Amino acid sequence: MIRPRIFLSHSSSQCSRDGCGCREYLLALEDHLRAQGCEPVVDRHVLGGGDEWNPKLLTEIKKSHGLILLLSPHALDSFYVLQEAGAAAYEHAANPRFLLLPVLLPGVRRRQLRGSRLEQLNLGRFDMVDWSAEAGPGEPPAKIADTLRPLAECLGAEPHPEVTDFLAGRLREVSDTALERTAGILGLATLAYNTGHTRRIVAQGLLTERPVDGPGDPCALRTALTVFLPQVGHSEHRADIVDLVVPYARVPQGDADLLRRLVRGGGERVTLLRASMSQTPGLYVRRASEGPKPWAMRTAVPRHDGTGFAEGVVAEVRDLLRQEIAWGEQYDDDTLRKLLVRHEDESGGPFTVALHQPPDPSLVRLLPAEFPRLLFLFVHRHGAPGPGPVPWPLLQGMSAAQEQDMVHTHRQFRS
């Protein structure tokens, strides 16, 4: 996947002296571009000691897919900003797909371009974005993302690129007419006479979070599934589609992010989920996996064979690992750990164990110590074990009605 390279032209040499704070907007814009699937190109990352400014940065502009011009009060008369904006205007004239987007920072109005050094570029012919002081650096204007989205889509730099690729492949049997109808139901804009683009846009739209309050509420996802799913001939492909799009539409994005942070963080991999239906943990793990294949997940049932409760759970988890990871062999702890590391590297995620019970403190202490590579998901209709602060991460979860809608939707279209 190609990430659009967007050059950020700015003038911050007088920022600290004038106290305008435009550098905060520059840093916020860098983060915003990365979140949109773009690669920001900034002079401080490009220039090394002794580099000649002009040839180096002009080369970077030519290698970029567009330029965002941050117009602060002192950028209006900056020689360097003029050179960079002039190079971008030349690139746009030679290739209209090259993006040139002026962004007016607080303290700058369009009328100030007249009489400034930038007047000769006639920037008024380009669409402009106003970044208000009220919004501040923490809230970049939505128009920036809206302007970048078509470029990112054309280059395939959308969120979840691997999953989007996989889902678009599963939609190859769907007719052009059904694809266009599905795009309309999901509120998506497509390019005329470009089936490949439409298929990809539909895949992205199907992977968009679409919460509902509960069963019976109108849902664009369900309507879309009734339109195109019958045209997918292979039952396995239909199952793949439903297994992907239902959790992406229903599981809160924040919960998926929390599960991935737990896996990447290096600490104890233990979290709590408020849920009452047996299918819910698998859908949460499917959403958090963000890959064509989900993380492996099994449910551990405590043994009642005379052993202590915690020891019985540990024995059950060890037996699960022997069956699923060690091919039925009895390995020592060190070998089992190496097998789990290899499994996680190859599959892109941890072996996950769901336990449908409130978290017992002694058990929560024991399991990560015995199996540090596993992700443990305690599932209970109350989530937390009782009143007061919870010492483990608690997923946001969803209401009982929302959970029912998610599970029923998955069962209905899966069958």
Side-chain angles (χ1 to χ4, degrees):
M1 296 299 168
I2 301 174
R3 292 169 61 86
R5 302 180 80 251
I6 306 298
F7 191 96
L8 302 184
S9 178
H10 67 104
S11 174
S12 58
S13 58
Q14 294 181 309
C15 182
S16 58
R17 187 186 313 166
D18 296 348
C20 71
C22 67
R23 192 164 192 82
E24 296 178 13
Y25 289 85
L26 171 66
L27 297 175
L29 183 57
E30 289 183 51
D31 291 339
H32 188 56
L33 290 184
R34 293 189 187 97
Q36 303 307 313
C38 299
E39 178 186 347
V41 181
V42 189
D43 53 5
R44 70 178 185 277
H45 298 153
V46 173
L47 294 177
D51 282 345
E52 188 177 355
W53 171 86
N54 195 281
K56 183 82 171 180
L57 291 189
L58 294 187
T59 298
E60 290 299 324
I61 292 173
K62 288 187 70 67
K63 290 163 52 181
S64 296
H65 299 94
L67 178 143
I68 293 181
L69 184 59
L70 280 177
L71 295 175
S72 61
H74 40 270
L76 296 176
D77 292 306
S78 167
F79 170 78
Y80 298 113
V81 170
L82 172 64
Q83 294 292 303
E84 293 165 1
Y90 177 82
E91 290 296 325
H92 178 79
N95 175 15
R97 290 183 297 177
F98 184 92
L99 173 70
L100 176 51
L101 181 64
V103 176
L104 301 169
L105 294 182
V108 177
R109 294 290 179 267
R110 286 169 172 77
R111 63 178 181 272
Q112 293 175 259
L113 291 170
R114 296 193 299 272
S116 74
R117 193 169 236 160
L118 298 175
E119 181 180 14
Q120 57 188 288
L121 297 178
N122 188 22
L123 293 175
R125 59 198 165 103
F126 297 101
D127 196 16
M128 292 191 181
V129 176
D130 289 290
W131 197 332
S132 68
E134 290 75 16
E139 190 176 341
K143 191 174 181 179
I144 295 177
D146 292 341
T147 304
L148 291 170
R149 189 170 296 115
L151 178 60
E153 289 170 351
C154 289
L155 296 172
E158 65 280 298
H160 337 299
E162 290 184 65
V163 182
T164 302
D165 268 349
F166 180 81
L167 185 54
R170 290 293 187 254
L171 297 175
R172 289 193 181 277
E173 299 175 74
V174 179
S175 68
D176 294 357
T177 302
L179 281 174
E180 288 294 343
R181 282 188 61 198
T182 302
I185 291 167
L186 298 175
L188 307 171
T190 61
L191 298 178
Y193 312 111
N194 190 332
T195 303
H197 179 267
T198 300
R199 188 181 298 114
R200 196 167 194 87
I201 293 300
V202 167
Q204 293 173 31
L206 291 169
L207 295 171
T208 300
E209 187 177 345
R210 299 176 185 275
V212 297
D213 289 335
D217 286 345
C219 174
L221 170 73
R222 291 177 58 90
T223 305
L225 286 171
T226 62
V227 169
F228 76 84
L229 200 60
Q231 295 192 10
V232 180
H234 297 282
S235 60
E236 180 184 344
H237 292 179
R238 292 195 299 271
D240 287 340
I241 291 170
V242 176
D243 286 346
L244 272 174
V245 303
V246 172
Y248 270 82
R250 296 295 191 261
V251 173
Q253 173 77 50
D255 284 352
D257 292 340
L258 175 56
L259 286 170
R260 287 194 298 276
R261 285 198 301 271
L262 277 176
V263 172
R264 296 193 302 261
E268 290 187 349
R269 297 174 168 184
V270 176
T271 187
L272 282 59
L273 171 62
R274 183 187 299 108
S276 58
M277 305 182 78
S278 60
Q279 206 169 346
T280 301
L283 294 172
Y284 267 74
V285 170
R286 185 68 188 89
R287 173 62 186 88
S289 303
E290 291 216 343
K293 292 188 176 182
W295 301 340
M297 194 200 84
R298 298 294 181 269
T299 299
V301 180
R303 295 182 176 182
H304 301 283
D305 55 1
T307 60
F309 172 73
E311 292 76 11
V313 174
V314 169
E316 175 68 14
V317 171
R318 194 175 298 279
D319 193 51
L320 284 174
L321 293 179
R322 183 167 61 250
Q323 297 172 25
E324 302 290 340
I325 300 294
W327 311 285
E329 300 290 341
Q330 187 75 42
Y331 288 115
D332 58 39
D333 288 348
D334 185 58
T335 303
L336 190 59
R337 181 190 59 80
K338 291 192 289 186
L339 287 172
L340 285 169
V341 170
R342 188 171 71 180
H343 166 86
E344 188 167 329
D345 289 341
E346 292 175 351
S347 63
F351 191 95
T352 304
V353 175
L355 298 104
H356 289 267
Q357 60 187 60
D360 178 81
S362 61
L363 181 59
V364 174
R365 285 193 298 270
L366 184 58
L367 286 174
E370 291 282 337
F371 310 104
R373 301 297 306 186
L374 301 189
L375 172 63
F376 292 98
L377 188 58
F378 284 85
V379 187
H380 192 260
R381 57 194 174 94
H382 296 306
V390 181
W392 310 287
L394 175 62
L395 296 174
Q396 171 188 337
M398 54 184 71
S399 69
Q402 289 174 321
E403 183 187 4
Q404 290 170 7
D405 173 81
M406 176 178 69
V407 172
H408 293 167
T409 297
H410 184 265
R411 287 176 180 169
Q412 175 185 340
F413 288 98
R414 188 65 153 73
S415 62

